[in-house]
Amino acid sequence: MMTPVHTPGPIGVFDSGYGGLTILNGIRQLMPQYDYIYLGDNARTPYGTRSYDVVYEFTRQAVVHLFNMGCPLVILGCNTASAKALRRIQQVDLPLLDPSRRVLGIIIPTAEVIGQLTKSRHVGILATEGTIRSCSYEMEIEKRFPDIQVTGKACPMWVPLVENNEAHGAGADYFVKKYLDQLMALDPAIDAIILGCTHYPILKDKIEAFCHPGVKIITQGEYVANSLKNYFERHPDMEVRCSRGGRVRYLTTESAEKFSECATLFLHERVAVEHVTLTE
């Protein structure tokens, strides 16, 4: 077990790649006063097609690394990690690592508000194969809104399109329309679609252009940020442990130069990046 450290530290945000930057952006827009560390496991991305055990092990390594850097709180800004690793880390690892720290995910904050965002009570999920297969959104939404029917569709081509800077090209048009049409064919009554992968907000304009009129497209950053703010209001003991300096550090397990170049797609600015290695 780690020795509990209560010196204020940054909020950690972890993702398998770049997509979690959309979560970090949402949080920083609402709460810019805190310090943050973003860690992308770009060397081992994507997580979406990996097994539960592998996703858990990789995510655990990242959480331990962020804890060792002084983070009292880590947000898994990755839907796959939230679906496949969060509960095990919370229930098994935290009591051994440091029961005073917290690890939170990004699926529940979206599930908590979906009831306010659908009138037809038919909701679609567009996500990676791993997140769709986990049925995590279906389970979390059913707990809170048993009257809502949830239909999921995996979009395996969307992440590569974003990361190869093709999100605004004609090739993206084809694959955006293809998966949207497939989802709506499964349930034409859908009036709200959750983008259940943190890369997908980069494609939001195209998604809205090809979507049926009246269908609301839901990105997670805003709702995760609001949920975290509410969490701090309910847990002031954790809020005071998060340092306030408005600073952000960016870490990657891949090339720092490559991360900085690709991060501009999400952040619209160049950032300084440090290379790290994740181990047990």
Side-chain angles (χ1 to χ4, degrees):
M1 179 184 294
M2 295 178 177
T3 301
V5 177
H6 297 290
T7 302
I11 297 168
V13 179
F14 168 69
D15 183 38
S16 60
Y18 303 101
L21 293 169
T22 62
I23 300 297
L24 177 63
N25 265 347
I27 296 172
R28 288 187 68 206
Q29 286 177 17
L30 187 64
M31 295 179 289
Q33 68 271 32
Y34 298 104
D35 294 322
Y36 299 91
I37 296 179
Y38 182 88
L39 171 56
D41 189 12
N42 303 80
R44 302 187 293 195
T45 197
Y47 279 17
T49 55
R50 294 188 183 273
S51 70
Y52 273 77
D53 287 343
V54 169
V55 171
Y56 159 72
E57 189 55 41
F58 288 177
T59 304
R60 182 185 181 280
Q61 291 170 8
V63 168
V64 169
H65 190 91
L66 289 167
F67 280 177
N68 286 335
M69 296 188 73
C71 297
L73 169 70
V74 173
I75 297 167
L76 303 185
C78 171
N79 283 276
T80 303
S82 296
K84 293 184 173 183
L86 176 63
R87 183 164 298 182
R88 188 170 168 187
I89 287 173
Q90 288 175 330
Q91 296 178 352
V92 177
D93 295 304
L94 268 185
L96 300 174
L97 293 170
D98 183 346
S100 73
R101 306 202 203 200
R102 294 291 179 267
V103 180
L104 305 176
I106 59 173
I107 291 176
I108 289 176
T110 313
E112 287 175 336
V113 299
I114 193 62
Q116 308 164 26
L117 304 174
T118 173
K119 294 180 180 178
S120 70
R121 316 310 277 177
H122 290 253
V123 172
I125 311 290
L126 296 171
T128 65
E129 181 182 344
T131 299
I132 295 299
R133 285 189 174 183
S134 75
C135 296
S136 295
Y137 275 100
E138 289 88 336
M139 290 186 290
E140 295 299 341
I141 291 173
E142 185 178 6
K143 287 179 190 175
R144 295 159 178 82
F145 307 102
D147 63 314
I148 291 180
Q149 180 174 323
V150 181
T151 303
K153 181 76 185 74
C155 308
M157 288 300 297
W158 284 10
V159 169
L161 284 168
V162 170
E163 293 202 348
N164 286 284
N165 200 19
E166 294 291 339
H168 304 293
D173 289 359
Y174 172 81
F175 285 107
V176 167
K177 185 176 187 303
K178 174 182 178 179
Y179 296 136
L180 276 173
D181 287 349
Q182 289 175 352
L183 176 67
M184 297 306 294
L186 293 171
D187 183 359
I190 288 171
D191 72 346
I193 296 175
I194 296 172
L195 302 186
C197 172
T198 51
H199 281 70
Y200 295 179
I202 304 298
L203 291 163
K204 186 180 180 185
D205 289 346
K206 281 193 183 296
I207 294 168
E208 289 179 333
F210 286 109
C211 211
H212 296 190
V215 176
K216 184 174 182 62
I217 304 301
I218 300 162
T219 57
Q220 296 171 286
E222 172 189 352
Y223 302 107
V224 172
N226 288 333
S227 180
L228 181 60
K229 187 172 186 289
N230 179 263
Y231 179 85
F232 281 158
E233 291 169 355
R234 291 182 289 110
H235 300 278
D237 55 320
M238 178 56 67
E239 192 276 337
V240 298
R241 293 177 59 189
C242 298
S243 57
R244 294 166 173 253
R247 298 176 294 265
V248 187
R249 290 177 67 184
Y250 296 93
L251 312 177
T252 178
T253 57
E254 238 278 4
S255 158
E257 182 178 354
K258 181 179 178 182
F259 183 96
S260 182
E261 290 176 2
C262 292
T264 59
L265 300 174
F266 297 84
L267 301 173
H268 307 296
E269 62 176 330
R270 294 283 296 205
V271 295
V273 185
E274 305 164 51
H275 175 267
V276 297
T277 300
L278 297 182
T279 58
E280 270 299 309

